[in-house]
Coordinates of all heavy atoms in Angstrom, one line a residue:
G71 N -10.4 13.4 9.9 CA -11.8 13.5 9.9 C -12.5 13.6 11.2 O -13.7 14.0 11.3
K72 N -11.8 13.3 12.3 CA -12.4 13.4 13.6 C -12.4 14.9 14.1 O -13.1 15.2 15.1 CB -11.5 12.6 14.6 CG -11.5 11.1 14.4 CD -10.6 10.4 15.3 CE -10.5 8.9 15.0 NZ -9.5 8.3 15.9
L73 N -11.7 15.7 13.4 CA -11.6 17.1 13.8 C -12.6 18.0 13.1 O -13.1 17.6 12.0 CB -10.2 17.7 13.5 CG -9.0 16.9 14.1 CD1 -7.7 17.3 13.5 CD2 -9.0 17.0 15.6
K74 N -13.0 19.1 13.7 CA -14.0 20.0 13.2 C -13.4 21.4 13.1 O -13.7 22.2 14.0 CB -15.3 20.0 14.0 CG -15.9 18.6 14.2 CD -16.5 18.1 12.9 CE -17.1 16.7 13.1 NZ -16.8 15.8 12.1
P75 N -12.6 21.7 12.1 CA -12.1 23.1 12.0 C -13.2 24.1 11.7 O -14.2 23.8 11.2 CB -11.1 23.0 10.9 CG -11.5 21.9 10.0 CD -12.2 20.9 11.0
E76 N -12.9 25.4 12.2 CA -13.9 26.4 12.0 C -14.1 26.6 10.5 O -15.3 26.9 10.1 CB -13.3 27.7 12.6 CG -13.5 27.8 14.1 CD -13.1 29.2 14.6 OE1 -13.3 30.2 13.9 OE2 -12.5 29.2 15.7
D77 N -13.1 26.6 9.7 CA -13.3 26.8 8.2 C -12.7 25.6 7.5 O -11.5 25.5 7.1 CB -12.5 28.1 7.8 CG -12.7 28.4 6.3 OD1 -13.4 27.6 5.6 OD2 -12.2 29.4 5.9
P78 N -13.6 24.6 7.2 CA -13.1 23.4 6.6 C -12.7 23.5 5.1 O -12.1 22.6 4.5 CB -14.3 22.4 6.7 CG -15.5 23.3 6.9 CD -15.0 24.5 7.6
S79 N -12.9 24.7 4.6 CA -12.5 25.0 3.2 C -11.0 25.3 3.1 O -10.5 25.3 2.0 CB -13.4 26.1 2.5 OG -13.1 27.3 3.2
K80 N -10.4 25.6 4.2 CA -9.0 25.9 4.2 C -8.2 24.6 4.0 O -8.7 23.5 4.3 CB -8.5 26.5 5.6 CG -9.0 27.9 5.8 CD -8.4 28.4 7.1 CE -8.9 29.9 7.3 NZ -8.3 30.4 8.5
T81 N -7.0 24.8 3.5 CA -6.1 23.6 3.2 C -5.7 23.0 4.6 O -5.6 23.8 5.6 CB -4.9 23.9 2.4 OG1 -4.0 24.8 3.1 CG2 -5.3 24.5 1.0
I82 N -5.3 21.8 4.6 CA -4.8 21.2 5.8 C -3.5 21.9 6.2 O -3.3 22.1 7.4 CB -4.6 19.6 5.5 CG1 -5.9 19.0 5.3 CG2 -3.8 19.0 6.6 CD1 -5.9 17.6 4.8
G83 N -2.7 22.3 5.3 CA -1.5 23.0 5.6 C -1.8 24.3 6.3 O -1.1 24.7 7.3
D84 N -2.8 25.1 5.8 CA -3.1 26.3 6.5 C -3.7 26.1 7.9 O -3.3 26.8 8.8 CB -4.2 27.1 5.7 CG -3.6 27.7 4.4 OD1 -2.4 27.8 4.3 OD2 -4.4 28.0 3.5
L85 N -4.5 25.1 8.0 CA -5.0 24.7 9.4 C -3.9 24.3 10.3 O -3.9 24.7 11.5 CB -6.1 23.6 9.2 CG -7.4 24.0 8.5 CD1 -8.2 22.8 8.2 CD2 -8.2 25.0 9.3
A86 N -2.9 23.5 9.8 CA -1.8 23.1 10.6 C -1.0 24.3 11.1 O -0.5 24.4 12.2 CB -1.0 22.1 9.9
K87 N -0.7 25.2 10.2 CA 0.1 26.4 10.5 C -0.6 27.3 11.5 O 0.0 27.7 12.5 CB 0.3 27.2 9.2 CG 1.3 28.3 9.3 CD 1.6 28.9 7.9 CE 2.7 29.8 8.0 NZ 3.0 30.4 6.7
E88 N -1.9 27.5 11.3 CA -2.7 28.3 12.3 C -2.7 27.6 13.6 O -2.5 28.3 14.7 CB -4.1 28.5 11.8 CG -4.3 29.4 10.6 CD -5.7 29.5 10.1 OE1 -6.6 28.9 10.7 OE2 -5.9 30.1 9.0
S89 N -2.8 26.3 13.7 CA -2.8 25.6 14.9 C -1.5 25.7 15.7 O -1.4 25.9 16.9 CB -3.2 24.1 14.7 OG -3.2 23.4 15.9
E90 N -0.4 25.7 14.9 CA 0.9 25.8 15.5 C 1.1 27.2 16.0 O 1.7 27.4 17.1 CB 2.0 25.4 14.4 CG 3.4 25.3 15.0 CD 4.3 24.7 14.1 OE1 4.0 24.3 12.9 OE2 5.5 24.5 14.5
E91 N 0.7 28.2 15.3 CA 0.9 29.6 15.7 C 0.0 29.9 16.9 O 0.4 30.8 17.7 CB 0.6 30.5 14.5 CG 1.6 30.5 13.4 CD 1.2 31.2 12.2 OE1 0.0 31.7 12.1 OE2 2.0 31.3 11.2
N92 N -1.1 29.3 17.0 CA -2.1 29.7 18.1 C -2.3 28.6 19.1 O -3.2 28.6 19.9 CB -3.5 30.0 17.4 CG -3.4 31.1 16.5 OD1 -2.7 32.1 16.7 ND2 -4.0 31.0 15.3
D93 N -1.4 27.6 19.1 CA -1.5 26.5 20.1 C -2.9 25.8 20.0 O -3.5 25.6 21.0 CB -1.1 26.9 21.5 CG -0.7 25.8 22.4 OD1 -0.3 24.7 21.8 OD2 -0.9 25.9 23.6
G94 N -3.3 25.5 18.8 CA -4.6 25.0 18.6 C -4.6 23.5 18.7 O -3.6 22.8 19.0
D95 N -5.8 22.9 18.4 CA -6.0 21.4 18.5 C -5.6 20.7 17.2 O -5.5 19.5 17.3 CB -7.4 21.1 18.9 CG -7.7 21.6 20.3 OD1 -6.8 21.7 21.2 OD2 -8.9 21.9 20.6
F96 N -5.6 21.4 16.1 CA -5.3 20.7 14.9 C -3.8 20.3 14.8 O -3.0 21.0 15.4 CB -5.6 21.7 13.7 CG -5.8 21.0 12.4 CD1 -7.1 20.6 12.0 CD2 -4.8 20.8 11.5 CE1 -7.3 20.0 10.8 CE2 -5.0 20.2 10.3 CZ -6.2 19.8 9.9
P97 N -3.5 19.1 14.2 CA -2.1 18.7 14.2 C -1.2 19.6 13.4 O -1.7 20.3 12.5 CB -2.2 17.3 13.5 CG -3.7 17.0 13.4 CD -4.5 18.2 13.6
T98 N 0.0 19.7 13.9 CA 0.9 20.6 13.2 C 1.5 19.9 12.0 O 1.3 18.7 11.8 CB 2.1 20.9 14.1 OG1 2.8 19.7 14.4 CG2 1.7 21.6 15.4
E99 N 2.2 20.6 11.2 CA 2.8 20.0 10.0 C 3.8 18.8 10.4 O 3.8 17.8 9.8 CB 3.6 21.0 9.2 CG 4.1 20.5 7.9 CD 4.8 21.6 7.0 OE1 4.2 22.7 7.0 OE2 5.8 21.3 6.4
D100 N 4.5 19.0 11.5 CA 5.4 18.0 12.0 C 4.6 16.8 12.5 O 5.0 15.6 12.2 CB 6.2 18.5 13.2 CG 7.3 19.5 12.8 OD1 7.7 19.5 11.5 OD2 7.8 20.2 13.6
D101 N 3.4 17.0 13.1 CA 2.6 15.9 13.5 C 2.1 15.1 12.3 O 2.1 13.8 12.3 CB 1.4 16.4 14.3 CG 1.7 17.0 15.6 OD1 2.8 16.7 16.2 OD2 0.9 17.8 16.1
I102 N 1.7 15.8 11.2 CA 1.2 15.2 10.0 C 2.3 14.4 9.3 O 2.2 13.3 8.9 CB 0.5 16.2 9.1 CG1 -0.7 16.8 9.8 CG2 0.2 15.5 7.8 CD1 -1.3 18.0 9.1
A103 N 3.5 15.0 9.3 CA 4.7 14.3 8.7 C 5.0 13.0 9.4 O 5.3 12.0 8.8 CB 5.9 15.3 8.7
A104 N 4.9 13.1 10.8 CA 5.2 11.9 11.6 C 4.1 10.8 11.3 O 4.4 9.6 11.2 CB 5.3 12.2 13.1
A105 N 2.9 11.2 11.1 CA 1.8 10.3 10.9 C 2.0 9.6 9.5 O 1.8 8.4 9.3 CB 0.5 11.0 10.9
I106 N 2.5 10.4 8.5 CA 2.7 9.8 7.2 C 3.9 8.8 7.3 O 3.8 7.7 6.8 CB 3.1 10.9 6.2 CG1 1.8 11.7 5.9 CG2 3.7 10.4 4.9 CD1 2.1 13.0 5.0
E107 N 4.9 9.2 8.0 CA 6.1 8.3 8.1 C 5.6 6.9 8.8 O 6.0 5.9 8.4 CB 7.2 8.9 8.9 CG 8.4 8.1 9.0 CD 9.6 8.8 9.7 OE1 9.6 10.0 9.7 OE2 10.4 8.1 10.2
K108 N 4.8 7.1 9.8 CA 4.4 5.9 10.5 C 3.4 5.0 9.7 O 3.4 3.8 9.8 CB 3.7 6.3 11.9 CG 3.3 5.2 12.7 CD 2.7 5.6 14.0 CE 2.2 4.5 14.9 NZ 1.6 4.9 16.1
S109 N 2.5 5.6 9.0 CA 1.4 4.9 8.3 C 1.7 4.5 6.9 O 1.0 3.7 6.3 CB 0.1 5.7 8.4 OG 0.2 6.9 7.6
Y110 N 2.8 5.0 6.4 CA 3.2 4.6 5.0 C 4.0 3.3 4.9 O 5.2 3.2 4.8 CB 4.0 5.8 4.4 CG 4.2 5.7 2.9 CD1 3.6 4.8 2.1 CD2 5.1 6.6 2.3 CE1 3.8 4.7 0.7 CE2 5.3 6.6 0.9 CZ 4.6 5.6 0.1 OH 4.8 5.6 -1.2
T111 N 3.2 2.2 5.2 CA 3.8 0.9 5.1 C 2.8 0.0 4.3 O 1.6 0.3 4.2 CB 3.9 0.3 6.5 OG1 2.7 0.3 7.2 CG2 4.9 1.1 7.3
I112 N 3.3 -1.1 3.8 CA 2.4 -2.0 3.1 C 1.5 -2.6 4.2 O 1.9 -3.2 5.2 CB 3.3 -3.1 2.4 CG1 4.1 -2.4 1.3 CG2 2.4 -4.2 1.8 CD1 5.1 -3.3 0.6
P113 N 0.2 -2.5 3.9 CA -0.8 -2.9 5.0 C -0.9 -4.4 5.0 O -0.7 -5.2 4.1 CB -2.1 -2.3 4.5 CG -1.9 -2.0 3.0 CD -0.4 -1.8 2.8
D114 N -1.4 -4.9 6.2 CA -1.6 -6.3 6.4 C -2.6 -6.9 5.4 O -2.4 -8.0 5.0 CB -2.1 -6.5 7.9 CG -1.0 -6.3 8.9 OD1 0.2 -6.3 8.5 OD2 -1.3 -6.1 10.1
W115 N -3.6 -6.1 5.1 CA -4.7 -6.7 4.2 C -4.0 -7.0 2.8 O -4.5 -7.9 2.2 CB -5.9 -5.8 4.1 CG -5.6 -4.3 3.6 CD1 -5.6 -3.2 4.4 CD2 -5.4 -3.8 2.3 NE1 -5.3 -2.1 3.7 CE2 -5.3 -2.5 2.4 CE3 -5.4 -4.4 1.0 CZ2 -5.0 -1.6 1.2 CZ3 -5.2 -3.7 -0.1 CH2 -5.0 -2.3 0.0
F116 N -3.0 -6.2 2.4 CA -2.4 -6.5 1.1 C -1.6 -7.9 1.2 O -1.8 -8.7 0.4 CB -1.5 -5.4 0.7 CG -0.6 -5.8 -0.5 CD1 -1.2 -5.7 -1.8 CD2 0.7 -6.3 -0.4 CE1 -0.5 -6.1 -2.9 CE2 1.4 -6.6 -1.5 CZ 0.8 -6.5 -2.8
N117 N -0.8 -8.0 2.3 CA 0.0 -9.2 2.4 C -0.9 -10.4 2.6 O -0.6 -11.5 2.0 CB 0.9 -9.1 3.6 CG 2.1 -8.1 3.3 OD1 2.6 -8.0 2.2 ND2 2.5 -7.3 4.3
S118 N -2.0 -10.3 3.3 CA -2.9 -11.4 3.5 C -3.6 -11.8 2.2 O -3.7 -13.0 1.9 CB -4.1 -11.0 4.5 OG -3.5 -10.8 5.7

Side-chain angles (χ1 to χ4, degrees):
K72 296 175 184 175
L73 304 171
K74 304 290 182 223
E76 281 184 36
D77 185 357
S79 66
K80 288 185 177 180
T81 66
I82 292 170
D84 289 341
L85 293 168
K87 189 176 192 176
E88 288 174 9
S89 182
E90 190 167 359
E91 291 170 355
N92 301 317
D93 199 26
D95 293 333
F96 201 86
T98 65
E99 187 173 319
D100 288 343
D101 295 335
I102 295 169
I106 288 172
E107 185 176 334
K108 182 178 179 183
S109 64
Y110 192 8
T111 59
I112 295 175
D114 291 341
W115 56 261
F116 172 81
N117 288 324
S118 295

